[in-house]
Amino acid sequence: MDVPVPDGATREYDIMGAARGTPVRSAHCTVRVAASRDPLYLVTDAPPPRRPRPPAGDDRTRARPLSAAEHIVLSQRYAAVNAAPNKEDGDAEPPLGYRLGASTRMTVDVYNFNTAAQTVTVSGRAVGGWSVTPRRERVRVPPGGRVGVDFTVTAGPKVRPGVDLPLVFEADLGGAAVPPSVARVQRRRDRSHQRPGRQPALAPVIDKVTPKDGAAVTGPSVRLAARIADAVSGVDAERISVEVDGERIAHRFDADSGVLTATARLRAGRHTFLIRAFNCAHAPVVRSVRVRVLP
């Protein structure tokens, strides 16, 4: 394919950063590259047309370098026939999940950005009547390489068509968790007149929060209470956190009732509580509550 480029030499790199050569710039100001299943990068020496701005939040610095597990990337890959209609050009209407049949073969690509070979255990987890086989697979990935792991995703008899649900693949590297891969999948409608099921919320819900946002409360001891619920994959109790004015405080969470409680000692004035939670499919939710503590 022909890619337009500005003046200056252009260099091509693969996803692992390996140089693939210097394509020749044509009279039409393009270079020709061979399309790949993985991303390709074109780097040019030409000056930018305007001064680039860093993305929002880019002023933050990492406290530590990436671990070996964080140098492993999982990517779910499906056949083109499983894509949502018009998704390739950005015009698809939700739900956007992959359209799967009763049984679908797919691949999880495991990329190793480390400088040494790594042995990774990949496992799949489905909800809402879907299942994944095999449960887990162990693979050896060379440095700067990629290995595909095949899985079969099966829709159970109670899976309704047209309903997006999360399909999660996780991996372990020597006891350390690899960043997960989460996709949305749905059962393909076999007949055009087949009615789709009801779409559930795919992220947790935080409600029944007290005190209410903007409330005036009596201090110095202020008690926060809320309910956290998730109807799809359940709430991940280990990843709940509560902050007051940016500082984390202790909390209690009852998994049976979904009730979260926390108590903070606050001075008179305005303060902000922040509740963060995830479900077991790694979807986040954040809820903030501003209060005014009376003198």
Side-chain angles (χ1 to χ4, degrees), residues 69-74 169-171 177-181:
E70 290 169 325
H71 277 85
I72 301 294
V73 174
L74 307 179
F169 283 91
E170 298 163 322
V178 168
S181 170

Side-chain angles (χ1 to χ4, degrees), residues 24-44:
V24 178
R25 185 170 179 267
S26 72
H28 301 288
C29 302
T30 62
V31 295
R32 176 157 292 188
V33 296
S36 167
R37 189 172 70 193
D38 297 320
L40 296 174
Y41 300 94
L42 295 177
V43 179
T44 177

Side-chain angles (χ1 to χ4, degrees), residues 6 13 43 45 80 87 93 102 112 139 148 160 228 235 242 250 265:
Y13 298 88
V43 179
D45 294 331
K87 191 174 181 180
E93 294 292 332
N112 178 15
V139 294
R160 295 292 304 276
I228 308 176
V235 177
V242 180
R265 294 188 64 83

Side-chain angles (χ1 to χ4, degrees), residues 63-273:
R64 58 171 179 79
L66 292 174
S67 66
E70 290 169 325
H71 277 85
I72 301 294
V73 174
L74 307 179
S75 177
Q76 299 183 40
R77 176 162 50 89
Y78 298 81
V81 69
N82 299 128
N86 302 317
K87 191 174 181 180
E88 66 276 6
D89 56 16
D91 293 334
E93 294 292 332
L96 301 176
Y98 289 102
R99 271 61 166 169
L100 307 186
S103 181
T104 303
R105 294 276 291 175
M106 53 81 65
T107 300
V108 176
D109 288 324
V110 184
Y111 294 86
N112 178 15
F113 287 87
N114 291 285
T115 56
Q118 303 291 337
T119 299
V120 181
T121 302
V122 183
S123 58
R125 183 156 45 85
V127 298
W130 291 92
S131 62
V132 182
T133 54
R135 292 285 301 275
R136 59 180 56 85
E137 283 287 302
R138 185 180 173 93
V139 294
R140 183 79 169 171
V141 189
R146 177 194 66 208
V147 173
V149 186
D150 293 331
F151 290 89
T152 299
V153 184
T154 304
K158 294 185 178 181
V159 174
R160 295 292 304 276
V163 178
D164 274 357
L165 289 172
L167 179 61
V168 181
F169 283 91
E170 298 163 322
D172 176 272
L173 176 63
V178 168
S181 170
V182 183
R184 295 182 181 182
V185 299
Q186 62 170 266
R187 179 75 161 86
R188 184 187 301 114
R189 282 191 277 180
D190 296 326
R191 298 175 297 276
S192 59
H193 64 275
Q194 193 174 16
R195 296 183 61 183
R198 185 176 181 180
Q199 178 63 52
L202 297 180
V205 175
I206 301 176
D207 60 8
K208 297 186 177 181
V209 180
T210 58
K212 294 183 178 180
D213 188 40
V217 298
T218 302
S221 181
V222 179
R223 183 177 185 271
L224 173 74
R227 184 184 67 171
I228 308 176
D230 186 272
V232 174
S233 62
V235 177
D236 187 346
E238 298 297 321
R239 300 178 71 184
I240 297 173
S241 65
V242 180
E243 298 176 6
V244 178
D245 301 332
E247 297 293 331
R248 186 170 293 194
I249 63 173
H251 68 273
R252 297 185 65 181
F253 177 69
D254 186 307
D256 293 330
S257 64
V259 173
L260 169 77
T261 57
T263 301
R265 294 188 64 83
L266 303 175
R267 296 178 179 178
R270 299 186 183 276
H271 301 273
T272 301
F273 285 94

